[in-house]
Every structure is written in C-alpha cells, then in structure tokens.
Amino acid sequence: MIWKTFGWSFAVTALGLAFAAWQWGWKAFGIVLILSVLEISLSFDNAVVNAGILKKMNAFWQRIFLTLGILIAVFGMRLVFPVVIVAISAEVGPVEAVRLALDEPERYQGLVTDAHPAIAAFGGMFLLMIFLDFVLEEREIAWLAWLERPLARLGKVDMLSVCVALIALAVTATTFATHAHVSTGHADKSATVLLSGVAGLITYLVVGGLSAYFENRLEDEDEDEQEQEEQEKEEAAAVRAGGRPVSAAALAGRAAFFLFLYLEVLDASFSFDGVIGAFAVTNHIFWMALGLGIGAMYVRSLTIHLVRQGTLDDYVYLEHGAHYAIGALAVILLVTVEHQISEVVTGLIGVVLIAASFLSSVRRNKALEAAGAGRPTPAEETGRSLTA
C-alpha cells in the first residue's frame, strides 16, 4: 500500500536529489532536501484539507484533481512561478531570467540579491498574514494553550491581523529597509519594501477572498442538494406543463466543478507560501523548483493516503506546528531584508517545529489510549499544552 501510494514520490525524490548532486554538488543536494522537507511540512494541513474535500467528489473528479491538479501544482506553482517572481522583481523577461541563471550565474545572483528586499517584503507579509489569521482564530484544540488561548481572545477584534501585519511592515521599512542588503553593499529600499509588502498583503486578501467565495458557493450547492426532492417535483410539474425541466445531473456537475475550483484556489494559496518561503532558504530557482516539486509530489501522495486510510487526522497538533513554521519564516524573511541568515538554520527551524508538534500529537494519542478515552472535549483541551 505504501509503495503504491508513494511510489512516484520516491522515484521523483531519488531522481531529483541525484540530479542536484551531479549537476551542482552536495550543497545543492542538501538544500533541495531541506526544501523538500520544508514543503511537506508547510503543506501537511493542505493535504488534510484536500483529503476532506476530495472525499465528497466522485471518482472522475478525484482523478481530475490528482492528474490535472498535480500538473498545475508542480509545473505551474513550483516550477514556473519562482521564475516569474525573479523575472518581475529583477525586471527581466522569464526567458532572460532562465538564461542568466544558466549562462551568467554571477550576474543572475546579483539581480536576485538586488530584488531580494522586494521579494522578502512581499513574501514576509503573505506568510505573516497566514500565521496571524491562524493564531488569532479560536480553536477547540490548542497546542501551546498558554499562548493560543489569549491570542484567540484578542482575535475577536476585527481586522487585528491586518493591523499587526501593517505595523510589522512599517517597522521593517523604517529599520531593516533603510540599510537593505544589495549586491553593491547596502542601500535604502524603504519605498520598495513598503510597496512590495502592501502587494503581499493585498495578494493574501484576494486569495483568501476567492477561497471564501468558492466555499460559499459550495455551501449553496449543498443547500440545493437538500432541496432535491422539491426540485424533482417542480421538474415533473414542468414536464407535465410542457416546459423544460431542470437537470439534476447539471446541478451535480456544477457542484463538482465549483468543488474543483475551490480546491485549486486553496491548493495554490498553500503552495504559494512554500514558494515564497523557499526564498528564505535559497535564491537559486532550479534548486527551488526541484525541492518544491519533490515536496509537492509527497503532498499529493499524502492526500491520496488520507483519502484511503484517514489515519493521520489523529495527529492534531501538526497543523499548529506548520503554522508556527510559517510564522518563523515570515519573521526571517523580513529580517533578511538587511541581514543574511544561514539557509540551514532557516530550513531546520520549520523541521524542528513540525517534529515537536508531531511528537506532542503522539504523546497525546498515547495518553488518551492509556486512559481509555476518546477524543477530548474542548473543555478538556483547555490548558493542555506542550509543556503540560
């Protein structure tokens, strides 16, 4: 079962890592491996959400998502999108960006370094909003309850996450951005950082708005299904009156189509944070493409595994660990506007947070099993934390 589900992912991993080591050496091997683990860590909650929605779809639309969807996720978001980011930020064409990366790596590195303050501000704001909206939302289960419960109470204030993000952007623009790290040394990039940060915030709000829109459409379709009996009666009446009946099959097809669109928007939003976060690890577009592509394969395989088995839903703290990793990456990106941070340190922070949340989930499950209890109630979860 494991080989059947993860076979393609194992094969892509072996080929990708071998190519990285052969083409660029062991440093590239290590960075691609870190990016792969980071992408899997950041996208675990994506796989859980995808699996929950995918179960509602019939076999045809599941195949569409797992075939066409993987092409969009791997080749679109992980391969093409990093090139587009570099091309736009460095003000060169995509073809020119790829040519420079291949033929003039030193010049390309200089362009990327000059573009890094804008990339870091854009990505840092996008990631920070994901983290803030997670920790400021009230949840039944808390990992670090001593921190998450008070933040959830603060989160009842409207638009608090946007205000906090804008404050962080203003601080970054007036501190780190005044001595931003560029290829020629340091320069004042305050205006660039402010503009890019606002663009990152707007992008997050747009992506979130689209996801909410499709989610609302799905709820509307569910209401339509609940009224199916009434619609069938109306259809029969329309036929008797010589009119044109409403097709129940068409309604089902429309519901599945909106479900697919919602999944793609949701998947793109999750993959976007991985792409942006990769710039905190490396500026090399081909290393990013390999690492994120390998990670995306595992996310799809994990989605399939969750649909077939449903066993990983019990690791309830993993989603928390993933979002703390996103928050750490957001801070790191904003700091790297001026200061350079080791790629290994950046990558390992996310791995450590995910590992800690996984171990906490395992301990929780063992404790519940030993006590002969089922899932704890919200009241029982209150006060439960990593240090408990």
Side-chain angles (χ1 to χ4, degrees):
M1 176 63 72
I2 294 296
W3 179 256
K4 182 178 180 181
T5 303
F6 290 90
W8 278 106
S9 298
F10 293 152
V12 170
T13 301
L15 290 173
L17 291 176
F19 179 78
W22 170 72
Q23 184 68 28
W24 298 291
W26 291 109
K27 179 181 179 180
F29 177 93
I31 291 176
V32 168
L33 182 60
I34 289 174
L35 285 173
S36 302
V37 175
L38 187 64
E39 174 69 6
I40 296 168
S41 301
L42 294 179
S43 299
F44 179 85
D45 49 349
N46 186 16
V48 174
V49 173
N50 285 352
I53 298 175
L54 207 60
K55 289 178 181 178
K56 303 176 184 179
M57 302 171 73
N58 60 29
F60 171 78
W61 283 101
Q62 286 184 2
R63 285 194 299 271
I64 292 294
F65 178 72
L66 295 173
T67 52
L68 178 60
I70 193 64
L71 291 175
I72 296 173
V74 174
F75 295 102
M77 291 303 299
R78 272 75 172 190
L79 298 181
V80 176
F81 189 59
V83 175
V84 172
I85 288 180
V86 172
I88 293 175
S89 301
E91 298 182 353
V92 297
V95 176
E96 179 67 10
V98 174
R99 189 195 68 79
L100 288 173
L102 291 173
D103 301 333
E104 301 180 54
E106 291 185 2
R107 184 186 171 196
Y108 170 79
Q109 183 63 34
L111 290 172
V112 172
T113 301
D114 292 340
H116 182 75
I119 295 172
F122 185 94
M125 290 296 291
F126 188 92
L127 294 176
L128 185 60
M129 283 298 300
I130 292 175
F131 170 71
L132 290 173
D133 277 350
F134 180 84
V135 297
L136 293 176
E137 181 180 348
E138 188 173 1
R139 300 178 183 279
E140 292 185 354
I141 296 176
W143 179 33
L144 305 177
W146 56 271
L147 176 63
E148 294 173 14
R149 299 296 183 189
L151 288 176
R153 288 194 289 270
L154 287 174
K156 294 179 181 179
V157 178
D158 288 340
M159 305 300 290
L160 180 61
S161 60
V162 175
C163 293
V164 173
L166 288 174
I167 290 172
L169 177 61
V171 171
T172 302
T174 55
T175 54
F176 301 128
T178 57
H179 297 85
H181 177 71
V182 294
S183 60
T184 56
H186 290 86
D188 188 351
K189 293 285 186 177
S190 301
T192 300
V193 167
L194 275 175
L195 181 61
S196 299
V198 170
L201 176 61
I202 292 173
T203 300
Y204 173 82
L205 294 175
V206 169
V207 171
L210 286 173
S211 296
Y213 168 77
F214 288 125
E215 189 173 6
N216 291 334
R217 291 301 300 265
L218 290 177
E219 291 175 359
D220 292 341
E221 293 295 340
D222 288 339
E223 291 177 3
D224 287 343
E225 289 177 2
Q226 292 174 1
E227 298 172 358
Q228 186 173 358
E229 249 181 59
E230 184 178 346
Q231 290 171 351
E232 288 176 353
K233 290 178 182 178
E234 291 177 358
E235 178 184 343
V239 171
R240 287 193 297 270
R244 185 175 180 179
V246 178
S247 172
L251 289 173
R254 188 166 71 244
F257 177 70
F258 279 120
L259 202 63
F260 176 75
L261 288 181
Y262 172 63
L263 271 173
E264 287 305 310
V265 172
L266 191 66
D267 195 55
S269 67
F270 276 103
S271 62
F272 187 77
D273 68 349
V275 172
I276 293 298
F279 279 100
V281 178
T282 180
N283 287 326
H284 198 294
I285 58 173
F286 296 109
W287 296 359
M288 281 192 292
L290 276 175
L292 297 178
I294 291 172
M297 290 296 297
Y298 279 98
V299 172
R300 275 304 194 277
S301 296
L302 185 57
T303 299
I304 298 172
H305 182 77
L306 286 170
V307 171
R308 293 175 178 173
Q309 302 295 327
T311 55
L312 294 181
D313 292 314
D314 291 332
Y315 299 103
V316 294
Y317 299 139
L318 277 173
E319 186 176 5
H320 297 74
H323 280 83
Y324 281 115
I326 290 173
L329 279 174
V331 173
I332 288 172
L333 277 171
L334 295 178
V335 171
T336 57
V337 169
E338 179 180 1
H339 304 287
Q340 291 182 292
I341 297 177
S342 171
E343 298 162 339
V344 175
V345 172
T346 303
L348 287 180
I349 286 176
V351 174
V352 168
L353 286 169
I354 291 297
S357 63
F358 175 77
L359 292 175
S360 295
S361 299
V362 171
R363 285 198 297 268
R364 170 187 179 274
N365 293 342
K366 288 182 178 179
L368 291 175
E369 184 179 352
R375 290 183 177 274
T377 64
E380 292 171 336
E381 279 291 342
T382 302
R384 188 189 300 273
S385 70
L386 183 63
T387 58

